[in-house]
Structure formats: structure tokens, C-alpha cells
Amino acid sequence: VQLVESGGGLVQPGESLRLSCTASGFTLNYHSVAWFRQAPGKEREGVSGIRNGDRRTVYADSVKGRFTISRDSAKNTMYLQMNSLKPEDTAVYYCATTSGNPIYQNILRPGSYTNWGQGTQVTVSS
């Protein structure tokens, strides 16, 4: 079981990035999936998630309207499209999955997920 992220980088405020997370060893479409981020000195926080059972999608208030989570079953890959990036979005971004179906309140809790990618750095700076 492996998750490999890509797509991070350095961008200016207002620009966009798309993160990818490709799974191997299991079928991503049968899992609940989520993106998390962790800035220096801060706790890991949930950004967005899709619960497998009902495909319910959740976003953190800080990214609503700017970020979009999606997945491509044919490519066994999940994505995080990030638009209108802000300096406060700077962090290491992680993808995560679980074969379970977290209750709504737990979709963006790190403890709900068992498989994690290695992380990709996103830096938003002028």
C-alpha cells in the first residue's frame, strides 16, 4: 500500500496549483480519502475529504470556494485543485486514505486515516 504525492511548489499569492496523489496496492475508489496540511509549528489540519459510502465531500472553512477535491478511478489518483492561493496556505500537504467510513465530524480528523503519503511542500509567497 503506497500513496505518492506530487504537484507542490512555490507560487505567488492568487495563483493555482494542483496536487496529485496516486495509490498503488489498493483501489482508491473503495476508500475514503482526504487531504491534510501541516505548517511549521502547527498541528496537522484537515483540508478536504470524500467519504466513501455516500461520497460526501467536506472542506475546511479556510479553503471553501478555493479548493476542490476529486479523484480519477481510472488513474487510481486523487487531486486537490487549489485556486486563489494565500500565504497562509503554505504548508506540507499530505494525502490520506482509509477503508472505513468516518462519521461526518471525523472526515477531517487525522486519526480517521490509516494510509498516508510522504507529503509535498506548497509555498505561497511573493
Side-chain angles (χ1 to χ4, degrees):
V1 173
Q2 188 176 20
L3 296 169
V4 178
E5 297 133 339
S6 60
L10 171 64
V11 296
Q12 294 188 346
E15 293 186 340
S16 299
L17 276 176
R18 189 178 77 159
L19 305 182
S20 300
C21 175
T22 299
S24 59
F26 68 101
T27 302
L28 195 64
N29 204 41
Y30 298 149
H31 281 227
S32 299
V33 301
W35 288 94
F36 292 82
R37 66 186 181 186
Q38 189 165 19
K42 294 188 177 181
E43 293 186 354
R44 190 168 298 189
E45 65 169 345
V47 175
S48 182
I50 303 175
R51 187 168 61 187
N52 184 50
D54 57 4
R55 296 294 196 261
R56 184 168 190 173
T57 302
V58 176
Y59 293 93
D61 288 343
S62 58
V63 306
K64 280 180 182 176
R66 300 188 298 122
F67 290 12
T68 303
I69 189 172
S70 63
R71 54 184 170 185
D72 185 332
S73 58
K75 296 182 179 180
N76 214 28
T77 298
M78 58 188 284
Y79 303 97
L80 185 67
Q81 178 67 42
M82 305 185 294
N83 298 330
S84 303
L85 282 161
K86 305 175 181 179
E88 51 264 44
D89 294 319
T90 295
V92 177
Y93 283 71
Y94 300 88
C95 60
T97 73
T98 177
S99 58
N101 284 289
I103 61 174
Y104 176 77
Q105 294 86 342
N106 292 342
I107 293 175
L108 294 184
R109 287 188 67 243
S112 297
Y113 296 85
T114 55
N115 306 313
W116 291 83
Q118 81 286 357
T120 185
Q121 177 71 46
V122 172
T123 303
V124 185
S125 174
S126 56

